[in-house]
């Protein structure tokens, strides 16, 4: 039912697009429309341009064929646009007015409609409530259902601080409570931008598409000059070519097939990216993805999960594993950071009983950047600390304690594995280390191997030390890595690659990734990331899956291949039309031209009509290929050229010969 409605709407739009003000944007099809108007006038006023040697039925037939040629071209574009509008309508259904709990400066909560919210407003959102607008979590932690936006059913954790604090209007809070600072005024939200982009109202042609349009327009102009000057030569030879036949010749000479499908190919390419849950800000980004040579990937949250989780407890000195677990639990019970929660989770998984009464009466020591430690001062006077190894060592020395010799060895061993060590100490004694591991996302190595087969180099940028970076790089399977990388270093790497004549893609999710995302030819931001990253990028992955860049690259290459394939086919099938229509025009006055009628078409008029009908019919037959795209398989440029010439070049010559001959036989049979 949905496809039927889509086709019905596309048929109506194809008629609306006959407006000359719309058609002039496609010069090739505009020429065909002008030809339709002229032949239509000649059908009823044959004397308007002098005596005509052709029957009125021929003029009417030619005008109808030209009309359908234009309609088929409009239908292809309208169908591609219709898919985008259908996706936009489904997004609009998720957009609804929500009552927001706005926190005022006096501490009171006022209920306002989401359309009344302004940038900077603070809203409180509790379990079961919709997020009223785009914003950033400034307090609390909650599980959020983003399926209305991303289509992903699994909820995601949003928390204050870090790179996972961005929330999108229209999503649902399914647990806990958060305070959110609104970052967008009404009409400027991410969902509004998605709707606008998916509708494609402001779709601009890419440089490649503009270059091809220029070539096709130039060919059209050249053939127009040829056709306009042709009567002067035929008059010299002693015969006259009627205007309808000249128009038919022009329409068959100009590249109408690719001219009719060019816009549809570009729109369909953007739609295919959207179907993979990637929002492209422009067709240029999709096209550029097809020519990418290098991909720069941020490590945290992109290649790895981002939150370092406790995976092992390593006692040092005379401490026992049970003692380390006990003190690690005490230091983490009141620690609401992801690392602190992961310690408690690991202990519970190992069957360790945790009694929260142990911390009663104690003073919580929160983590601070200056101390790089957190912990608790117990009611019995004992002090428990957990934090960076060097910070804990200094603290223990101040308490008059000593440092176990194996602490340095175990710390180095954890760093070599790509992990982060947290030391646990009580009073003047170090009990051991908590091994925090940043896990590489599943399937990354296989996906990077796919990119390698495409001839694309992968490069990981991370702020980690060289030992950790090397371990993660090896586990993930990237080609190169840059350790201790600052935001400006990422930009320098991208600029260096671009200076070598390469196109660069960048994936990231943090505010520190924003400058590099903006500098890259293709910037793919994770939807789970910060608003700054999404603003800087020209693509947003709604699923927050960095390996999605492979699909984006494939679609970009598919778009370029489809355009090249159909251009090859369009130019090649003109050859068959030349052999059909050129002999038909001249053989009445020059009998020797009959030898060029290699298809043995029945008559000059049937030859002209057969070529025109084939020229019109081939457009709707190629619409599925333009919409779906040519199947992409990794191969070098020489193989690709050979494939294009063999399948679409040779096929573009053979198919019209067969098609025009069959149409000629049908015309001869019925007339």
């Amino acid at each position: 039912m949905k496809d039927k409605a889509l086709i019905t709407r596309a048929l109506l739009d194809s008629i609306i697009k006959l407006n000359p003000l719309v058609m002039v944007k496609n010069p090739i099809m505009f020429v065909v429309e002008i030809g339709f108007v002229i032949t239509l006038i000649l059908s009823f006023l044959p004397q308007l341009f002098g005596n005509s040697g052709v029957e009125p039925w021929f003029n009417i037939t030619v005008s109808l064929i030209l009309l359908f040629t234009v309609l088929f071209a409009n239908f292809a574009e309208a169908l591609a646009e219709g898919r985008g509008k259908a996706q936009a309508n489904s997004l609009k259904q998720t957009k609804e007015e929500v009552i927001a709990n706005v926190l005022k400066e006096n501490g009171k909560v006022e209920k306002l409609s989401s359309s009344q919210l302004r940038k900077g407003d603070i809203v409180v959102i509790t379990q079961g409530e919709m997020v009223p607008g785009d914003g950033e979590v400034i307090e609390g932690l909650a599980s959020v259902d983003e399926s209305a936006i991303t289509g992903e059913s699994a909820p995601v954790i949003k928390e204050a601080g870090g790179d996972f604090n961005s929330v999108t209007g229209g999503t649902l809070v399914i647990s806990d409570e958060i305070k959110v600072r609104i970052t967008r005024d009404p009409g400027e939200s991410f969902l509004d931008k998605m709707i606008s982009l998916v509708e494609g109202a402001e779709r601009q042609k890419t440089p490649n598409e503009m270059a091809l349009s220029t070539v096709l327009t130039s060919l059209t102009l050249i053939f127009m000059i040829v056709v306009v000057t042709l009567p002067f030569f035929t008059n010299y030879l002693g015969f006259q070519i009627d205007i309808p036949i000249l128009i038919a010749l022009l329409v068959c000479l100009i590249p109408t097939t690719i001219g009719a499908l060019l816009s549809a190919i570009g729109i369909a390419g953007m739609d295919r990216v959207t179907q993979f849950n990637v929002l492209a800000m422009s067709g240029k980004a999709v096209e550029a993805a097809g020519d990418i040579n290098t991909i720069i990937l941020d490590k945290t949250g992109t290649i790895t999960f981002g939150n370092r989780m406790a995976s092992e407890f390593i006692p040092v000195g005379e401490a026992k594993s049970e003692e380390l677990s006990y003190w690690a639990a005490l230091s983490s019970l009141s620690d609401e950071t992801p690392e602190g929660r992961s310690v408690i989770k690991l202990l519970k998984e190992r069957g360790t009983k945790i009694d929260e009464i142990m911390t009663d009466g104690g003073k919580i020591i929160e983590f601070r950047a200056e101390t790089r430690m957190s912990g608790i001062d117990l009611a019995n006077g004992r002090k428990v600390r957990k934090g960076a190894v060097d910070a804990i060592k200094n603290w223990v020395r101040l308490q008059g304690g000593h440092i176990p010799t194996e602490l340095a060895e175990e710390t180095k061993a954890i760093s070599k594995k790509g992990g982060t060590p947290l030391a646990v100490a009580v009073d003047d004694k170090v009990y051991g280390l908590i091994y925090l591991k940043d896990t590489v996302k599943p399937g990354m190595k296989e996906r990077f191997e796919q990119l390698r087969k495409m001839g694309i180099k992968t490069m990981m940028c991370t702020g980690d030390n060289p030992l950790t970076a090397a371990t993660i790089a090896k586990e993930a399977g990237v080609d190169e890595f840059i350790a201790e990388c600052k935001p400006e270093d990422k930009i320098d790497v991208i600029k260096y690659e671009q200076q070598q004549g390469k196109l660069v893609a960048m994936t990231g999710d943090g505010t520190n990734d924003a400058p590099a995302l903006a500098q890259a030819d293709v910037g793919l931001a994770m939807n789970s990331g910060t608003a700054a990253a999404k603003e800087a990028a020209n693509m947003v992955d709604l699923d927050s899956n960095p390996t999605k860049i492979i699909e984006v690259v494939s679609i970009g290459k598919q778009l370029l291949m489809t355009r090249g394939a159909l251009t090859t086919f369009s130019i090649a099938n003109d050859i068959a039309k030349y052999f059909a229509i050129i002999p038909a025009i001249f053989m009445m006055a020059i009998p020797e031209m009959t030898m060029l009628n290699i298809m043995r078409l029945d008559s000059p008029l049937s030859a002209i009509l057969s070529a025109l009908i084939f020229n019109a019919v081939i457009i709707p037959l190629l619409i599925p290929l333009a919409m779906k795209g040519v199947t992409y398989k990794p191969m070098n440029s020489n193989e690709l050229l050979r494939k294009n010439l063999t399948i679409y070049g040779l096929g573009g010559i053979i198919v019209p010969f067969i098609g025009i001959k069959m149409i000629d036989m049908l015309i001869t049979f019925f007339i």
Side-chain angles (χ1 to χ4, degrees), residues 290-293 450-456 557 561 631-645:
D291 288 325
I292 287 300
N293 307 106
Q450 285 181 261
L451 286 170
R452 202 169 289 113
K453 288 179 180 178
M454 293 180 184
I456 298 171
K557 289 184 180 295
M561 287 176 61
T631 302
Y632 169 69
K633 291 181 180 178
M635 62 180 72
N636 61 45
S637 55
N638 290 332
E639 290 176 321
L640 181 58
L641 178 62
R642 197 178 304 115
K643 178 184 176 182
N644 258 0
L645 292 176

Side-chain angles (χ1 to χ4, degrees), residues 93-111:
Q93 291 174 5
T94 67
K95 187 180 178 183
E96 57 183 76
E97 284 294 307
V98 176
I99 300 301
N101 301 310
V102 182
L103 187 64
K104 296 297 183 180
E105 292 182 2
N106 58 11
K108 293 183 179 180
V109 174
E110 180 182 346
K111 293 188 179 296

Side-chain angles (χ1 to χ4, degrees), residues 1-20:
M1 182 65 77
K2 184 178 178 181
D3 288 342
K4 185 178 179 181
L6 198 65
I7 292 172
T8 302
R9 181 64 201 179
L11 288 170
L12 180 61
D13 286 344
S14 64
I15 297 172
I16 296 173
K17 285 176 178 288
L18 289 173
N19 183 343

